[in-house]
Amino acid sequence: MGFYKRIDMILNVSVIVCDYQLQEEIVQKLIHSTDIHFDAVIVEAFFNECFLGFAHKFKAPLIQICTFGGTGYMGDWVGNPTPYAIVPDPFLNLRDKMNFWERTGNTIFGTLWKFMRNYYYLPRQDAIMKKHFNHLADLPSVSELEYNTSLLLVNHHFSISYPRPLVPNFVQVGGMQVKPPKPLPKHGIQFKEFGHDRFSKECFLEAFSKLKQRVLWKWETDSMPGQPNNVKLEKWLPQSDVLAHKNVLVFMTHGGLLSTQEAVYRGVPVLGIPIFGDQKLNMAWAESAGIGVTLQFENISSESISSALKEILENSRYQENAQKLSRIYRDQPLTPLEQAVFWTEYVIRHEGAPHMRSAALDLAWYQYFLLDVIAFLVLAVGSVLLIVFLVLRAVFRKLCSGSKKDKMLHKKKD
């Protein structure tokens, strides 16, 4: 299935799921309640637009939480700029330093994504919301409600992504799920590697069998044919706790954001095999930060796995970079969870915190991009240049005509 077909499938499924969720009996009771008050309405910011009706119903500040770094259209809700030249879309395999064609592709993709969302997807979500909240008077559209977002919390942090401009109510709280590590079972602390697999297990078994290190592998059975002695299988593992162990040397992952954050927080290099969504972006960043190596899904073999593992295990810079980045990531005045709690309570205390609302939300698109100012300046400068040109042309013509008259008089005298 192609990328755009998968996006279309996700959009369609999200509309269906949103409809079913609002049909639930307990949700219907909440929709039609008359004696309940809430200080804030918190909604997941990705494919849940039909729930924005609750913010209107309860007349409460709207707080949206994005489980990844956020997209350009989410920044628009709070007037946050998204410069396509330096902020890669989370669904593209790009870094912040892009060449001309990458910047062009990033701009086109971001623009098309907004267009498709605004004119194809949002009207369907709006219809679902109005179907279930039809008893509310003056119910705004979904597109209006999302621009009333008082606070946008995104599961990201500049130290593990790329720097970008942020307005006050666009808050990065990446790593909220990371907690102090718990002691591991005795059989778990001896393994130096933590593996995660979704592909041909034979390739991994052959590559792991060549290692002198031990491998801890999350797998759904207790054993598998050809399992080497240095491979231990477990149906469930406390991932963050395992990564916190001092003997872990590398973390094999699909490059999901939560896994990447936990690896960075614990200071562990990553070997990633990205598949979809922001996984490619996460691994592109991990490579640029010098803490990871990426294996393409189409290039999985025992040789490619062995080569990638050898690169990380035998090159100390990956471990050093991971440890350094971990220190940077942890160096925050509050933990990510504490920041999320603080800003949520801040918005509630200040009744939606309208003082944090960007003036960009009140500007038309041509005003925001200063097109009216540019047009005025071009017109003003052009008018001045035109006047100067006309004056010079008139003076030149007068001089030329005077010269011709002198020549004519000279000829008559001769």
Side-chain angles (χ1 to χ4, degrees):
M1 184 183 294
F3 177 80
Y4 288 98
K5 285 187 176 181
R6 282 188 285 182
I7 289 291
D8 186 59
M9 180 192 71
I10 292 173
L11 294 179
N12 290 329
V13 169
S14 69
V15 172
I16 296 171
V17 170
C18 224
D19 191 17
Y20 274 112
Q21 288 176 322
L22 289 182
Q23 291 180 38
E24 288 290 326
E25 182 180 353
I26 189 171
V27 179
Q28 282 292 313
K29 288 182 179 179
L30 192 59
I31 290 174
H32 295 281
S33 62
T34 58
D35 57 350
I36 302 178
H37 168 76
F38 290 100
D39 295 316
V41 171
I42 301 176
V43 178
E44 184 181 354
F46 204 51
F47 298 146
N48 286 288
E49 290 84 358
C50 67
F51 284 90
L52 298 183
F54 282 112
H56 178 73
K57 172 179 173 56
F58 294 114
K59 299 295 185 289
L62 173 61
I63 299 173
Q64 299 210 56
I65 299 179
C66 181
T67 55
F68 57 98
T71 60
Y73 69 79
M74 292 180 188
D76 293 343
W77 300 339
V78 292
N80 196 78
T82 304
Y84 290 125
I86 58 171
V87 180
D89 190 276
F91 294 104
L92 299 179
N93 183 19
L94 298 173
R95 304 176 184 182
D96 59 340
K97 294 179 175 61
M98 294 176 269
N99 59 36
F100 172 79
W101 294 112
E102 289 172 335
R103 283 183 279 115
T104 301
N106 193 42
T107 303
I108 292 174
F109 182 84
T111 304
L112 288 177
W113 178 251
K114 287 184 182 182
F115 182 85
M116 181 172 66
R117 182 177 184 271
N118 290 336
Y119 297 102
Y120 170 68
Y121 171 71
L122 279 189
R124 300 167 67 192
Q125 283 280 2
D126 191 55
I128 297 298
M129 182 187 73
K130 290 182 177 177
K131 167 186 171 184
H132 294 283
F133 290 89
N134 59 2
H135 62 290
L136 299 179
D138 303 321
L139 179 65
S141 66
V142 162
S143 57
E144 291 178 81
L145 287 171
E146 63 185 12
Y147 278 87
N148 289 331
T149 300
S150 295
L151 178 65
L152 177 62
L153 301 174
V154 296
N155 186 28
H156 228 44
H157 190 260
F158 62 85
S159 66
I160 53 173
S161 59
Y162 303 111
R164 60 171 301 175
L166 298 176
V167 293
N169 53 346
F170 188 116
V171 180
Q172 295 184 328
V173 290
M176 286 190 296
Q177 79 281 6
V178 182
K179 300 177 181 178
K182 298 177 182 178
L184 293 173
K186 290 184 178 180
H187 68 273
I189 63 172
Q190 60 183 326
F191 299 104
K192 296 186 178 181
E193 292 188 67
F194 176 66
H196 176 73
D197 171 58
R198 292 177 60 186
F199 313 100
S200 173
K201 62 180 182 294
E202 287 77 15
C203 295
F204 286 87
L205 290 173
E206 183 178 348
F208 292 159
S209 66
K210 300 174 183 177
L211 295 172
K212 62 181 180 180
Q213 294 87 1
R214 295 183 179 184
V215 178
L216 186 57
W217 191 351
K218 181 185 178 299
W219 194 253
E220 300 306 316
T221 60
D222 295 325
S223 63
M224 64 175 69
Q227 178 181 341
N229 293 330
N230 66 329
V231 174
K232 172 72 174 178
L233 304 180
E234 290 287 345
K235 294 181 181 179
W236 181 86
L237 290 164
Q239 178 173 292
S240 184
D241 297 335
V242 172
L243 290 172
H245 194 273
K246 62 180 181 179
N247 289 338
V248 175
L249 298 179
V250 61
F251 173 38
M252 295 188 68
T253 172
H254 61 314
L257 182 59
L258 299 185
S259 295
T260 305
Q261 288 174 343
E262 290 173 8
V264 172
Y265 192 89
R266 305 304 189 194
V268 179
V270 293
L271 195 167
I273 308 173
I275 301 296
F276 181 67
D278 63 342
Q279 297 166 8
K280 292 186 177 182
L281 175 68
N282 297 334
M283 286 311 304
W285 169 81
E287 285 194 323
S288 66
I291 67 163
V293 172
T294 300
L295 274 180
Q296 299 302 326
F297 175 74
E298 301 80 8
N299 189 36
I300 295 297
S301 66
S302 61
E303 290 77 16
S304 64
I305 297 170
S306 294
S307 177
L309 286 171
K310 182 179 179 181
E311 169 66 17
I312 295 177
L313 293 171
E314 297 184 4
N315 193 332
S316 61
R317 74 180 181 90
Y318 291 98
Q319 189 75 32
E320 293 167 358
N321 289 337
Q323 291 292 327
K324 178 181 178 181
L325 192 57
S326 175
R327 292 191 294 271
I328 294 173
Y329 184 26
R330 296 183 190 213
D331 192 5
Q332 302 184 44
L334 298 173
T335 68
L337 183 59
E338 289 171 341
Q339 290 195 66
V341 171
F342 170 81
W343 286 109
T344 298
E345 293 179 342
Y346 182 92
V347 165
I348 293 172
R349 284 197 302 271
H350 299 286
E351 301 177 343
H355 56 279
M356 290 200 297
R357 187 178 186 273
S358 172
L361 295 171
D362 300 319
L363 297 176
W365 64 270
Y366 60 87
Q367 294 173 318
Y368 179 77
F369 290 108
L370 294 177
L371 297 184
D372 54 343
V373 175
I374 294 172
F376 169 76
L377 293 176
V378 169
L379 183 61
V381 172
S383 298
V384 171
L385 292 177
L386 178 62
I387 292 172
V388 171
F389 169 75
L390 293 175
V391 170
L392 290 176
R393 187 175 68 171
V395 171
F396 181 74
R397 283 181 175 178
K398 186 154 187 156
L399 290 175
C400 288
S401 64
S403 177
K404 286 180 180 179
K405 286 181 180 179
D406 290 342
K407 287 180 180 180
M408 291 292 291
L409 290 172
H410 184 69
K411 285 182 179 181
K412 285 182 180 180
K413 288 180 180 181
D414 291 344

